[in-house]
Amino acid sequence: MITFEQEHRFSTEGAGTIIDITDRVSDTVRQSGILTGQAAVIVPGSTGAITTIEYEPGLLRDLPEFFEKIIPSHVTYSHDATWGDGNGFSHLRSALVGPGLTVPVSSGRLVLGTWQQIVFLEFDNRSRRRKIHVNVIGR
Amino acid sequence: MITFEQEHRFSTEGAGTIIDITDRVSDTVRQSGILTGQAAVIVPGSTGAITTIEYEPGLLRDLPEFFEKIIPSHVTYSHDATWGDGNGFSHLRSALVGPGLTVPVSSGRLVLGTWQQIVFLEFDNRSRRRKIHVNVIGR
Amino acid sequence: MITFEQEHRFSTEGAGTIIDITDRVSDTVRQSGILTGQAAVIVPGSTGAITTIEYEPGLLRDLPEFFEKIIPSHVTYSHDATWGDGNGFSHLRSALVGPGLTVPVSSGRLVLGTWQQIVFLEFDNRSRRRKIHVNVIGR
């Protein structure tokens, strides 16, 4: 049994940026040498989220539009009164989707569909330098 | 320390189908022989999701109605223009809920409430043959 | 490789209560002696949820307001007809956010941002005594 960890860093352009991180997570799994187990991915921070989508141009428009509809960015939230940084909407979206995801590993590969990618959703209202952390455990 | 994996297959009737997969996941845990650890469940594919509910007839109506309200199926999404398969709503619902769930294992059993079942939510707009993958790790 | 489990108990004041459980989960990780691995947290029960937020007074108001907007508590759901306990909204909110979260452990600490806390969201319509279960696995 092995456990292996790695960080990946990238930049975003603020709310609406969706980054396909599948290759980065797959690289970590490959380097771990683990064939059967679990890969846990998290973003440290409370204005981003991790989920899976089919990474294609249509959904890269649909998903931000959906979040804008249910948690509008132009509304003033109580959070904004606390810090004055105007990103209350970012925090709400992040809490809703969640900061992490665990993907099983089988035969040395992430168990995902062909049209399913692990994505980082940037919800903050400004460009950010981001770090995701991956832990793989198994044998 | 052991890691053990298994797939379970079933069919759905398209968006609105909710399948109780608790017994299948419990079977995998029992077969693994693991007493203390973690069971990770995922659906490979980007138009389904995994969560828990009390599996009773009322919620089997409420949950699809809720998703229909916040992500309507009759709206045309940008995704639909990419593929023409009209299931943009399915992808959005799946990204929102998420494709997987990890449940701790204690004394050889899934740590769940009495009225809490692990469910697969079908969001696609047609019948599907589905596969879920379970990885259990522990001792 | 080690796996270690622990339960934490607390009371809530019903829907809208948000409990910062980060220190409890960190304590479990510390007691486990695990330096690198994964901590899985779950609430057994289908009317609560686990996610992360920046635990500050503004968001403690914003988050309940958001859930009240998208899944109102004053609406009658089909679930309410089944049991007559009037908490259909609680179940829907719980299914949406999800009952658990896995956080990687690195250098003996939970991998979280400085302004990111693990929280239990109470959605039920009455005070509850709650239990969360934590399983840590790693070396």
Side-chain angles (χ1 to χ4, degrees):
Chain A
M1 294 288 286
I2 303 166
T3 180
F4 182 85
E5 64 180 14
Q6 197 165 58
E7 288 178 1
H8 297 282
R9 289 165 192 274
F10 48 85
S11 295
T12 75
E13 299 301 315
T17 305
I18 301 178
I19 310 270
D20 179 357
I21 60 173
T22 316
D23 287 350
R24 292 172 176 95
V25 180
S26 289
D27 274 355
T28 301
V29 170
R30 190 177 40 74
Q31 290 177 48
S32 76
I34 288 168
L35 297 178
T36 307
Q38 301 180 14
V41 185
I42 202 163
V43 51
S46 50
T47 55
I50 309 277
T51 188
T52 65
I53 63 165
E54 179 185 343
Y55 196 81
E56 61 80 24
L59 285 169
L60 298 190
R61 286 193 297 274
D62 291 328
L63 208 54
E65 281 177 17
F66 165 69
F67 285 113
E68 190 60 32
K69 192 183 84 172
I70 60 161
I71 305 174
S73 60
H74 57 81
V75 168
T76 299
Y77 298 91
S78 296
H79 173 76
D80 303 325
T82 305
W83 292 118
D85 49 5
N87 69 351
F89 72 97
S90 320
H91 287 271
L92 291 174
R93 294 177 189 183
S94 175
L96 180 63
V97 178
L101 178 69
T102 297
V103 180
V105 173
S106 181
S107 303
R109 298 170 68 109
L110 295 165
V111 179
L112 293 171
T114 309
W115 313 109
Q116 181 183 29
Q117 282 74 44
I118 308 173
V119 289
F120 171 75
L121 306 181
E122 180 61 82
F123 289 134
D124 217 333
N125 59 358
R126 57 188 174 87
S127 299
R128 293 288 302 263
R129 292 192 58 74
R130 289 291 190 181
K131 175 180 75 179
I132 57 158
H133 182 102
V134 183
N135 181 283
V136 197
I137 194 162
R139 61 175 163 82
Chain B
M1 295 288 287
I2 304 166
T3 179
F4 181 86
E5 64 180 15
Q6 197 165 58
E7 287 177 0
H8 298 280
R9 290 166 192 272
F10 49 86
S11 295
T12 75
E13 299 302 315
T17 305
I18 302 178
I19 311 269
D20 180 356
I21 60 173
T22 315
D23 287 350
R24 293 171 176 95
V25 180
S26 289
D27 274 354
T28 301
V29 170
R30 191 177 40 73
Q31 291 176 48
S32 76
I34 288 168
L35 297 179
T36 307
Q38 300 179 14
V41 185
I42 202 162
V43 51
S46 50
T47 56
I50 309 277
T51 187
T52 64
I53 64 165
E54 179 185 341
Y55 197 81
E56 61 80 23
L59 285 168
L60 299 189
R61 286 193 297 275
D62 291 328
L63 208 53
E65 282 177 17
F66 165 69
F67 285 113
E68 190 60 33
K69 193 184 83 173
I70 61 160
I71 305 175
S73 59
H74 58 79
V75 168
T76 300
Y77 298 92
S78 296
H79 173 76
D80 303 326
T82 305
W83 292 120
D85 49 5
N87 69 352
F89 73 96
S90 320
H91 286 270
L92 291 173
R93 294 178 189 183
S94 175
L96 181 63
V97 178
L101 178 69
T102 296
V103 180
V105 173
S106 180
S107 303
R109 299 170 66 108
L110 294 165
V111 179
L112 293 171
T114 308
W115 313 109
Q116 181 184 27
Q117 282 73 44
I118 309 174
V119 289
F120 171 75
L121 306 180
E122 179 62 82
F123 290 133
D124 217 333
N125 59 357
R126 56 188 176 88
S127 299
R128 292 290 302 262
R129 293 192 58 75
R130 289 293 189 180
K131 174 180 76 179
I132 57 159
H133 182 103
V134 184
N135 181 284
V136 197
I137 193 162
R139 61 174 163 82
Chain C
M1 294 288 287
I2 303 166
T3 180
F4 181 85
E5 64 181 13
Q6 196 165 59
E7 288 178 1
H8 298 281
R9 290 166 190 273
F10 49 85
S11 295
T12 75
E13 299 302 315
T17 305
I18 301 178
I19 311 270
D20 180 356
I21 59 172
T22 316
D23 286 349
R24 293 172 175 95
V25 180
S26 290
D27 274 354
T28 301
V29 170
R30 190 176 41 73
Q31 290 176 49
S32 77
I34 287 169
L35 297 179
T36 307
Q38 301 179 14
V41 185
I42 202 162
V43 51
S46 51
T47 55
I50 310 277
T51 187
T52 65
I53 63 166
E54 179 185 340
Y55 197 81
E56 61 79 24
L59 284 169
L60 300 190
R61 286 194 296 275
D62 291 328
L63 208 53
E65 281 176 17
F66 165 69
F67 286 113
E68 190 61 32
K69 193 183 84 173
I70 61 161
I71 305 174
S73 59
H74 57 81
V75 168
T76 299
Y77 298 90
S78 296
H79 173 77
D80 303 327
T82 305
W83 291 120
D85 49 7
N87 68 353
F89 72 97
S90 320
H91 286 271
L92 291 174
R93 295 178 189 182
S94 175
L96 180 63
V97 178
L101 178 68
T102 297
V103 181
V105 173
S106 181
S107 303
R109 298 169 67 108
L110 294 165
V111 179
L112 293 171
T114 308
W115 313 109
Q116 181 183 27
Q117 282 73 44
I118 309 174
V119 289
F120 171 75
L121 306 181
E122 179 62 83
F123 290 133
D124 217 333
N125 59 358
R126 56 188 176 89
S127 300
R128 293 288 303 261
R129 293 192 57 75
R130 289 292 188 180
K131 175 180 76 179
I132 57 159
H133 182 102
V134 183
N135 180 282
V136 197
I137 194 162
R139 62 174 162 83

